[in-house]
Amino acid sequence: IHSDGATLEKLMAPDIQYTHSSATTQTRAEFLKAATTGTTKYTSIDFTDVVLRQYGHTVIVTHKMTLKSPQNGESHLFVSEVWAEEKGGWIMVSRQATKLP
């Protein structure tokens, strides 16, 4: 929502595959550009039904998400993310979204 590129960059692995519900996959650089230049702007993001499963230094997160944006209105998604613990912090290494009916 705040287009904070510095924070987003810290949370994303350099080789992340960030896949949207449209099946478009972006690199970290492509996602950061869209998120920080106003190409993609969200007015609200809400998460529900969050489930975390940890396997050593890896966490799989699944959740439902409701996004609101001036470009697309309201979207309802199911999201799967993979996070890895690295150097004392957590980074997202993969993300896949699917539109909910």
Side-chain angles (χ1 to χ4, degrees):
I1 291 176
H2 300 291
S3 303
D4 184 349
T7 298
L8 289 170
E9 187 172 5
K10 289 178 189 175
L11 292 173
M12 300 174 81
D15 62 347
I16 189 172
Q17 290 198 339
Y18 193 98
T19 305
H20 296 271
S21 61
S22 64
T24 300
T25 298
Q26 293 178 311
T27 64
R28 181 170 83 168
E30 291 166 337
F31 176 81
L32 290 172
K33 181 178 179 183
T36 59
T37 62
T39 305
T40 301
K41 180 68 180 161
Y42 298 109
T43 55
S44 71
I45 303 172
D46 295 305
F47 301 94
T48 60
D49 301 329
V50 178
V51 176
L52 290 94
R53 295 175 288 145
Q54 186 166 356
Y55 303 94
H57 297 281
T58 304
V59 171
I60 299 170
V61 181
T62 57
H63 57 84
K64 292 179 183 174
M65 177 188 292
T66 300
L67 299 169
K68 292 182 183 175
S69 71
Q71 313 91 299
N72 301 319
E74 187 170 289
S75 300
H76 300 275
L77 309 174
F78 181 80
V79 180
S80 296
E81 301 167 355
V82 180
W83 292 76
E85 188 176 26
E86 192 173 271
K87 300 175 187 169
W90 290 91
I91 57 171
M92 185 188 303
V93 297
S94 183
R95 184 226 189 233
Q96 170 73 50
T98 304
K99 289 181 184 176
L100 289 169

